[in-house]
Amino acid sequence: LRWLLDPGSPFYIRPRFDPALAAWIVHFMRAANREHVSRAGPILSDMLIASRELYEQLADRCGNGFGLTKRGLLMLCRTRAGLEEETRAARRARELDLPVEIVSSTRAADIDPGITMEITGAVFYPLDAHLDPRLLMRKLTELVTAAGATILWSTQLDAWRTAGKRI
């Protein structure tokens, strides 16, 4: 929740008077608790696996024009406390049947020889994949326009709704 007010956060929301935004924030605050996160875990896990498969299919279809790489995710931990925190997250991932490996600094260097920082250990998520979002959006734009869709750039929701009624 603190991230909502942090301008450097990916979840930052510029404070302003907006009753709809205020209602959304209240709803978000009520839902942002351990119980909801626990209930959502299996669904999010299924979505993770399904979305990876769909990205792989899309990469095959378009010659991987968006840089999908499937090397996993290595969470590097400088401190023992950091490693303990990541280990708790790894346990939750295992409860959701996701493969995860808690690794020593030596094993982390085997996985990624480019590591230059001193670490206590790491957690490795082998199913994780990465892509270039700009290339993905460029490829999706090409695909949807080739399929006959019209993209309305720099529009507001009301303008989109109006345009949708004309189509």
Side-chain angles (χ1 to χ4, degrees):
L1 292 175
R2 288 179 298 219
W3 283 15
L4 293 177
L5 299 175
D6 178 358
S9 157
F11 297 113
Y12 174 67
I13 297 176
R14 183 180 49 80
R16 61 191 176 277
F17 179 75
D18 182 341
L21 176 61
W24 179 88
I25 289 173
V26 169
H27 182 74
F28 180 82
M29 288 173 55
R30 287 182 181 149
N33 61 57
R34 290 189 196 283
E35 179 188 338
H36 282 118
V37 170
S38 290
R39 282 199 331 249
I43 296 164
L44 294 173
S45 175
D46 290 347
M47 287 175 60
L48 171 98
I49 301 299
S51 66
R52 178 187 160 117
E53 290 171 3
L54 291 170
Y55 279 118
E56 289 171 346
Q57 290 173 21
L58 182 61
D60 289 344
R61 176 179 169 190
C62 65
N64 195 13
F66 50 90
L68 181 67
T69 58
K70 300 178 279 186
R71 294 186 313 231
L73 172 67
L74 194 57
M75 298 295 291
L76 305 177
C77 304
R78 288 182 185 225
T79 65
R80 174 75 41 209
L83 184 58
E84 288 171 5
E85 183 177 333
E86 287 301 328
T87 297
R88 285 191 294 276
R91 283 190 202 114
R92 288 192 297 273
R94 283 184 181 149
E95 290 169 2
L96 297 169
D97 294 325
L98 294 172
V100 59
E101 184 181 349
I102 300 161
V103 301
S104 67
S105 57
T106 305
R107 172 74 176 114
D110 290 341
I111 295 168
D112 184 352
I115 296 172
T116 57
M117 65 185 251
E118 291 290 321
I119 63 170
T120 300
V123 176
F124 180 54
Y125 296 89
L127 286 185
D128 215 63
H130 305 85
L131 55 80
D132 183 322
R134 288 173 302 169
L135 294 176
L136 174 64
M137 294 313 298
R138 187 177 303 145
K139 183 53 69 177
L140 290 174
T141 299
E142 289 173 21
L143 292 171
V144 299
T145 55
T150 300
I151 298 174
L152 303 174
W153 299 106
S154 301
T155 60
Q156 295 179 359
L157 184 57
D158 291 336
W160 177 80
R161 286 183 180 140
T162 302
K165 290 177 185 173
R166 287 194 311 255
I167 295 175

